[in-house]
Amino acid sequence: MAFLGEARTFQKPIAWLYSTPPRTDEPSTLKSFLRMPVKTIIACSVAGAAAGAAASAAYFSSTGKRQQQTVTESTGIAGPTPQYPLQKQPYPVDPDGLFQYGFPGPLADMRKAPSLTSSFDRRTRNPHWVAEHITPASLADSKGDRKHSYFAEDLSIPEMFRARLHDYFRSGYDRGHQVPAADAKWSQTAMDATFALSNMCPQVGDGFNRDYWAHFEDFCRGLTRTFPSVRIVTGPLYLPARDASDGKYRVKYEVIGNPPNVSVPTHFFKVIYAEEASPGSDPKGKVCLGAFVLPNAEIENHRPLRSFEVPVEIVEKASGLEFASRLPEERRKKLCEQVDCSVEVKSYADRQRSFNKGQFPKKQ
């Protein structure tokens, strides 16, 4: 399988987002990184996702709490709205006149299905994000059967913008669920909804979608043994990598299909909201928040899940999305301080057999 540029190499996943070096008490693998000047750190790519997590923790520990932005509620635009002087006479031009022919966009195709809610990116033919909600009860119900579900194009998306089944044919990539089918076993309709291509992204198969990513999904389901309600947002990222030829950062990714149609993400994120209270029981209940960024590449099973942990703000900056703007600081807890954030490596058959066995351990 051919990969483009450095976007597939296993390196610090989002080095370009950090503006200060990590603490000097980080693991020895970062020693050479720590000796570098700040400007050099920003300009260089660093190997290892663990370094990324360490750098992000250092950034936020050194800068303190993120300053609150001024947000205009009606538009969601950060900062004050520019004020233009009133003019008695009309302007000589009318840019809004374009709208008589249609609004150019960008447009996000929202999809509300029984098992998920998503926003679709017409440019990449992948979702911006897909949200799901799992509970102990929803996972215990098994009315849906995967063998009755089939991959399908999402006909709610205009034909010229949708991903097609033949785009994945012999591409070398899996049709990677963003909301996994195993999270929607509670009805056949709910499971079928996860097989629409608007819930898919091209993912590396061996070593990722069928291995580490699947273990990560098991970890998320396991959270329902500790929390009564778990919400997860998953989506693709297209992150820059340093070009060895000139040291500059570029975004490079493959596009599959004939003609080329569907973008291959360089990374994927999950933002997890583990709610300590049952839905609707306590509007001020604590929420254990966790965010992870994984490269769309083969990952060795022994690599710690916490090496992919990043602050939510880093995922927001990388994706252009907001995940917790209405979740006050006093309601937040750090997920990996409440539970053991680690994956249990199992074969696919073992995962299916043993999902309902054992208890998910709390962190001591």
Side-chain angles (χ1 to χ4, degrees):
M1 187 182 301
F3 298 131
L4 299 183
E6 293 184 346
R8 291 290 176 276
T9 58
F10 198 93
Q11 58 178 304
K12 177 183 175 185
I14 38 182
W16 60 283
L17 291 170
Y18 301 97
S19 58
T20 59
R23 298 186 302 267
T24 56
D25 60 349
E26 294 300 336
S28 57
T29 53
L30 301 179
K31 285 183 179 178
S32 58
F33 174 59
L34 299 174
R35 298 191 187 102
M36 299 166 63
V38 174
K39 290 183 179 179
T40 306
I41 293 171
I42 298 172
C44 295
S45 171
V46 180
S56 63
Y59 172 80
F60 285 95
S61 63
S62 62
T63 57
K65 292 184 178 179
R66 184 178 57 158
Q67 292 183 347
Q68 295 293 322
Q69 289 182 316
T70 301
V71 178
T72 304
E73 278 292 327
S74 60
T75 62
I77 300 173
T81 303
Q83 299 296 318
Y84 298 101
L86 296 176
Q87 185 171 309
K88 293 182 180 180
Q89 299 299 323
Y91 291 109
V93 295
D94 177 21
D96 288 353
L98 172 69
F99 301 151
Q100 66 183 301
Y101 308 116
F103 179 68
L107 299 175
D109 296 283
M110 294 294 297
R111 179 185 180 214
K112 181 68 177 73
S115 51
L116 60 88
T117 300
S118 66
S119 170
F120 188 77
D121 183 351
R122 294 182 174 187
R123 183 179 64 87
T124 64
R125 275 70 171 180
N126 288 320
H128 291 113
W129 52 265
V130 189
E132 61 172 313
H133 181 213
I134 54 177
T135 66
S138 73
L139 294 179
D141 204 345
S142 299
K143 296 185 180 70
D145 192 330
R146 187 185 181 104
K147 68 182 181 182
H148 299 310
S149 298
Y150 303 93
F151 291 99
E153 298 174 10
D154 190 337
L155 301 183
S156 68
I157 297 168
E159 184 176 1
M160 69 182 297
F161 299 120
R162 75 176 68 131
R164 298 186 172 278
L165 291 169
H166 63 69
D167 289 328
Y168 285 85
F169 182 66
R170 293 183 177 176
S171 68
Y173 293 95
D174 286 1
R175 292 166 292 197
H177 284 72
Q178 301 302 280
V179 168
D183 291 3
K185 298 185 300 179
W186 49 272
S187 84
Q188 190 62 49
T189 300
M191 180 168 284
D192 291 346
T194 69
F195 279 82
L197 291 189
S198 57
N199 183 45
M200 305 291 162
C201 290
Q203 288 187 327
V204 171
D206 289 336
F208 187 64
N209 181 48
R210 305 170 208 170
D211 295 286
Y212 201 95
W213 184 256
H215 307 324
F216 186 22
E217 292 172 337
D218 281 343
F219 162 80
C220 294
R221 284 187 286 271
L223 290 172
T224 61
R225 299 187 183 114
T226 302
F227 301 96
S229 173
V230 178
R231 303 180 190 276
I232 307 164
V233 183
T234 306
L237 293 171
Y238 308 86
L239 301 183
R242 184 175 179 270
D243 193 323
S245 64
D246 58 10
K248 296 182 179 180
Y249 281 85
R250 293 181 173 87
V251 178
K252 295 182 181 180
Y253 53 84
E254 191 175 346
V255 182
I256 62 173
N258 187 16
N261 193 46
V262 181
S263 301
V264 180
T266 64
H267 296 75
F268 290 92
F269 69 82
K270 279 188 183 291
V271 177
I272 302 171
Y273 311 74
E275 300 170 343
E276 292 187 347
S278 299
S281 64
D282 184 2
K284 295 184 179 180
K286 301 292 185 181
V287 178
C288 299
L289 203 59
F292 302 84
V293 173
L294 282 68
N296 188 12
E298 182 177 348
I299 301 175
E300 296 175 336
N301 282 328
H302 65 76
R303 190 168 290 275
L305 178 59
R306 291 205 68 171
S307 67
F308 303 106
E309 184 187 14
V310 298
V312 173
E313 294 87 350
I314 293 298
V315 182
E316 291 178 328
K317 187 173 182 180
S319 64
L321 306 172
E322 292 188 350
F323 298 102
S325 59
R326 295 189 177 184
L327 181 62
E329 290 290 337
E330 60 268 20
R331 290 185 60 198
R332 301 188 189 193
K333 289 184 177 181
K334 293 182 179 180
L335 178 66
C336 294
E337 291 182 357
Q338 306 303 313
V339 298
D340 178 15
C341 287
S342 62
V343 296
E344 183 178 354
V345 178
K346 301 177 184 177
S347 68
Y348 177 78
D350 288 340
R351 290 200 309 271
Q352 297 300 104
R353 283 194 297 265
S354 63
F355 168 65
N356 290 319
K357 297 179 180 179
Q359 293 294 319
F360 188 76
K362 286 190 175 183
K363 187 173 181 179
Q364 301 300 319

